[in-house]
Amino acid sequence: MRKISLKAKIVTIVLLVFFGVAPATSYFVIGYFKDRLQESIQNQQVILVSRTASELDFKISSAQRMLVSVALSIPEQVVRDPRAAERFLYERSFLSMYFDSGTFLLNPGGQLIAETAWKPSRVGRDYSFREYVKDTLATGKPVISAPYVPRTLHHPVVMFTAPVFGSGGKLIAILAGSTDLYKDNLLGDLSTARIGSLGYFSLYDHEGVVIMHPVRERIFSPADKQAEGMTARIAQARRGANVQGELGQRDGSRTLSTMKKLGSIDWILAASYPVEEAYAPVQRLVRLSWWIMGCGGVFAALLMWMTMSHLISPLLSLTRQIRQLGASNGDLPMVRIDSNDEIRETAEAINGLLERLRLKEIEKETIQKDAMQTWHLASLGEVAAGVAHEINNPINGIINCAQILAAEPCLSEPERGVASRIIKEGERVAVIVRSLLSFARYEGRERVPAYVPDILNDTLELTRVQLKRDGVQLHVDLPSDLPALLVHPHQIEQVFLNLISNARYALDKKFSAGAGGGKRLDIKGEKIIGDDGVFVRIEFRDNGTGIPRDVIGRVIDPFFTTKPAAEGTGLGLSISHGLISDHGGRLKVESVEGEFTRVMIDLPVMTWEDEYGQKGSDSRG
């Protein structure tokens, strides 16, 4: 059967209208167009709500994971010292990205140990009556609270918690983060989002209480006060269904509503699009139809054909492109609509969601690529260890043979000198092989006492030849009486290697690669005493290109690098910073672009308590 276009149908109907059936025919045409428009809008709304729910789930899960990761890093001594706990929280300022009303540390009795939200401090205040405290203590798991209004803030907030466990697996504290529902944050952003011009999002808990709404006065009110039958629809959405349809609001208006349950928590996300705005094209069509019925038959049919071509084309194009999106297996193309009405606004909203989805895919690919590179580096370390083993045996054989040869009394002095040279160079190769083997070996043991000069010497065994070949003047100033450290030596060696590699790159970039001409790398150490203890400071200073002032604050961020894409991953300083932090130390970068870069590492001195359970400190005397 031959397909009849919508335009042909409408023109035919217009002709029949002029022969006496105009009112009834107009009613059916407009009804058909309204149904198709409603179906298209509802399909788009389902896609929009699903993607918005996924983004909201991702934000909530990210906030919860971040809080749990920080809770896992809290030492037991920090829990016992309120000042140390407060300092610990302020040093984790990145938590404020999600918890804009502050972070808190509570003991198992519900008393406040430290916080970042209130001055003067409220340390000691009892919050054991809060449900989130009770639930965390009862389950030993992270909890997201129902909204409530704190006595000091007078704004509704949601509290995220994560249990803090001691070395014996006992719960020793609760880490909590507070999100203000009146602010622009992972939840508050929802109140400013718009669907079209007047559409909006809202959020409800499992009991049908409003958590988030563009009208603040409606927060905490029952859902049935907003619209008829809301509680029943919320209950249906909680069972996993996408609930959609028209809703009658208490103010007399009607909206196209779509509801979806979040995956990360038992909350319901709802999108409401006013029927008046959604069906605005239909209303315009009604007025146009009455005008056309007053004109002549042929002229009316021609005008209707042209008008419907203009009105329906963007909608059909939008529907066709949405179908193509569903069938796309690769990059999602942008929806292109040549109109200036609500359909274009809807297309722009879809394009915004597609763009955010594309950026997330790029970010995911970048993380996967960097993870693969890290795996390749680990594999290279295993290969290096195998090669080192293979080289070590013949080198030992060469040295033994040369020693036997040198002991022969019949050799002349020049020949004996050659044998000695073979022994010397063979031992030098053996030292390098042992250093490479030691560095490539997986370090899974506990921390051991070690001295900075020994670790640096092992590092320089791997890099001294490269530095000399590049013409770098190396100046090492390490006092012989530097105290011992309790560290993973190979991890600290990894940090030193990274800093020396960065210095070589900066020097080669400023000066011609492989040439001298002023290349200088200074490494020095000293013991420092501060309010927080005794440290050994190791300083690496080069006179290379330096770091621009506008990016120096980001050099320790993961995946950030000033090197070209093929030369750097942006992981070196980030990993180094993490290793030093795991050792209870600090890593600080200072630089003046074009002049120098100085990296200072402070590592805590090993105390007698670390090794023998007694006070005191160890040094080389």
Side-chain angles (χ1 to χ4, degrees):
M1 181 177 180
R2 183 180 177 183
K3 180 180 178 180
I4 302 176
S5 68
L6 183 61
K7 290 182 292 184
K9 292 179 182 179
I10 294 177
V11 170
T12 301
I13 291 172
V14 170
L15 292 176
L16 294 176
V17 167
F18 285 97
F19 288 96
V21 294
T25 305
S26 296
Y27 175 82
F28 288 110
V29 170
I30 294 171
Y32 175 82
F33 183 74
K34 180 179 178 180
D35 291 340
R36 299 287 77 75
L37 181 62
Q38 181 179 3
E39 179 182 350
S40 176
I41 291 174
Q42 287 182 343
N43 290 337
Q44 297 166 32
Q45 199 173 54
V46 169
I47 296 173
L48 179 62
V49 169
S50 297
R51 290 179 177 171
T52 303
S54 297
E55 290 182 8
L56 192 57
D57 277 328
F58 177 80
K59 291 179 180 179
I60 292 173
S61 299
S62 297
Q64 198 168 39
R65 284 196 301 269
M66 181 181 293
L67 197 67
V68 169
S69 67
V70 172
L72 290 174
S73 69
I74 298 178
E76 291 188 32
Q77 59 268 29
V78 168
V79 175
R80 294 192 293 267
D81 185 355
R83 292 184 62 186
E86 182 176 81
R87 184 166 58 252
F88 179 91
L89 292 180
Y90 275 105
E91 288 174 353
R92 274 66 181 175
S93 57
F94 55 85
L95 289 173
S96 62
M97 293 187 304
Y98 291 102
F99 310 113
D100 49 15
S101 287
T103 52
F104 311 85
L105 190 64
L106 304 145
N107 65 25
Q111 285 80 32
L112 183 65
I113 299 175
E115 66 174 342
T116 63
W118 196 266
K119 293 294 181 180
S121 177
R122 299 174 293 179
V123 172
R125 181 172 290 185
D126 187 2
Y127 293 94
S128 60
F129 63 94
R130 292 293 187 189
E131 290 298 324
Y132 59 82
V133 175
K134 296 178 181 177
D135 292 344
T136 306
L137 292 174
T139 63
K141 296 180 181 179
V143 169
I144 302 176
S145 76
Y148 71 98
V149 178
R151 290 174 296 181
T152 54
L153 186 61
H154 307 300
H155 285 184
V157 300
V158 171
M159 188 71 75
F160 291 68
T161 69
V164 180
F165 296 100
S167 56
K170 180 181 179 181
L171 191 148
I172 60 173
I174 298 173
L175 180 64
S178 178
T179 298
D180 191 336
L181 297 183
Y182 280 2
K183 294 182 180 179
D184 293 334
N185 48 44
L186 74 162
L187 295 177
D189 288 344
L190 203 63
S191 65
T192 59
R194 287 290 177 269
I195 305 172
S197 298
L198 301 175
Y200 59 88
F201 291 97
S202 53
L203 200 61
Y204 304 86
D205 69 10
H206 64 282
E207 295 179 354
V209 177
V210 180
I211 298 175
M212 182 58 60
H213 197 281
V215 181
R216 291 180 174 178
E217 290 76 14
R218 296 186 179 182
I219 296 177
F220 281 138
S221 62
D224 279 340
K225 285 190 175 182
Q226 316 301 322
E228 300 172 359
M230 279 290 286
T231 301
R233 292 198 175 201
I234 289 173
Q236 186 179 355
R238 286 187 63 203
R239 293 192 289 270
N242 286 332
V243 182
Q244 59 183 157
E246 286 193 15
L247 266 180
Q249 302 294 318
R250 293 296 183 182
D251 59 4
S253 63
R254 298 192 66 80
T255 60
L256 290 176
S257 176
T258 300
M259 296 183 181
K260 182 177 179 62
K261 182 180 180 293
L262 298 183
S264 60
I265 189 171
D266 193 9
W267 291 352
I268 306 300
L269 176 66
S272 299
Y273 194 22
V275 170
E276 183 178 355
E277 182 179 357
Y279 296 157
V282 178
Q283 299 303 322
R284 290 196 296 269
L285 180 60
V286 171
R287 292 190 294 269
L288 182 63
S289 298
W290 282 109
W291 183 83
I292 291 176
M293 282 188 292
C295 301
V298 176
F299 176 77
L302 179 62
L303 183 60
M304 180 60 69
W305 183 276
M306 297 174 60
T307 301
M308 292 308 300
S309 296
H310 174 73
L311 290 177
I312 296 177
S313 177
L315 181 60
L316 295 177
S317 175
L318 179 60
T319 304
R320 181 175 61 254
Q321 292 180 68
I322 290 176
R323 290 197 184 106
Q324 292 173 353
L325 288 178
S328 175
N329 294 322
D331 293 337
L332 298 177
M334 292 295 161
V335 176
R336 302 186 182 279
I337 297 296
D338 187 16
S339 66
N340 292 310
D341 52 19
E342 291 79 6
I343 298 176
R344 180 173 182 175
E345 292 177 1
T346 304
E348 289 173 350
I350 294 174
N351 285 338
L353 291 173
L354 292 175
E355 179 64 19
R356 289 196 291 273
L357 185 61
R358 185 182 67 83
L359 293 176
K360 289 187 180 298
E361 286 297 324
I362 293 175
E363 180 181 356
K364 178 181 176 182
E365 291 175 2
T366 301
I367 293 174
Q368 291 175 341
K369 185 187 299 181
D370 291 329
M372 183 61 68
Q373 184 172 2
T374 302
W375 180 81
H376 286 162
L377 291 175
S379 300
L380 183 60
E382 295 178 3
V383 173
V387 171
H389 274 297
E390 294 299 325
I391 294 176
N392 200 41
N393 292 331
I395 285 295
N396 287 333
I398 292 172
I399 294 173
N400 292 336
C401 291
Q403 289 173 340
I404 295 172
L405 184 63
E408 290 292 330
C410 61
L411 290 182
S412 64
E413 285 305 317
E415 291 171 337
R416 199 178 305 280
V418 170
S420 299
R421 183 66 182 270
I422 292 173
I423 294 171
K424 180 181 178 181
E425 295 301 324
E427 289 177 343
R428 181 169 172 265
V429 171
V431 169
I432 293 174
V433 168
R434 283 196 299 271
S435 298
L436 181 60
L437 181 60
S438 177
F439 181 75
R441 188 183 295 118
Y442 171 70
E443 183 65 36
R445 300 172 296 172
E446 296 181 352
R447 297 178 185 176
V448 297
Y451 294 93
V452 171
D454 296 337
I455 299 175
L456 184 61
N457 286 337
D458 290 343
T459 305
L460 293 178
E461 287 293 340
L462 299 174
T463 59
R464 198 185 302 275
V465 174
Q466 293 176 321
L467 293 172
K468 184 176 180 181
R469 185 181 61 217
D470 291 348
V472 178
Q473 301 176 28
L474 177 64
H475 298 270
V476 179
D477 180 15
L478 296 177
S480 60
D481 61 347
L482 284 178
L485 308 175
L486 190 65
V487 297
H488 291 288
H490 295 297
Q491 291 184 353
I492 304 304
E493 188 176 337
Q494 179 182 353
V495 174
F496 288 176
L497 273 174
N498 176 254
L499 298 181
I500 292 173
S501 174
N502 289 344
R504 287 182 52 234
Y505 178 85
L507 291 168
D508 286 343
K509 190 175 180 182
K510 181 175 181 179
F511 305 93
S512 58
K519 296 181 181 179
R520 183 182 177 102
L521 173 60
D522 294 299
I523 305 175
K524 64 180 182 179
E526 60 178 330
K527 181 173 77 171
I528 61 172
I529 301 176
D531 295 338
D532 49 351
V534 183
F535 293 81
V536 171
R537 171 170 290 176
I538 310 99
E539 178 181 310
F540 293 76
R541 187 185 191 279
D542 67 79
N543 61 334
T545 56
I547 303 171
R549 179 184 300 178
D550 58 336
V551 301
I552 193 169
R554 301 172 56 199
V555 293
I556 63 173
D557 291 348
F559 311 117
F560 177 83
T561 179
T562 58
K563 299 178 183 178
E567 299 183 30
T569 64
L571 289 172
L573 267 181
S574 175
I575 293 174
S576 298
H577 179 266
L579 292 176
I580 296 301
S581 297
D582 287 343
H583 283 80
R586 302 181 289 258
L587 186 148
K588 182 180 180 182
V589 182
E590 296 178 353
S591 184
V592 175
E593 187 174 7
E595 296 186 15
F596 72 90
T597 297
R598 177 167 53 234
V599 181
M600 291 175 289
I601 297 173
D602 294 342
L603 289 170
V605 168
M606 185 187 75
T607 64
W608 285 110
E609 185 179 21
D610 291 330
E611 190 170 4
Y612 303 108
Q614 300 175 1
K615 296 289 183 180
S617 64
D618 178 35
S619 72
R620 294 193 179 192

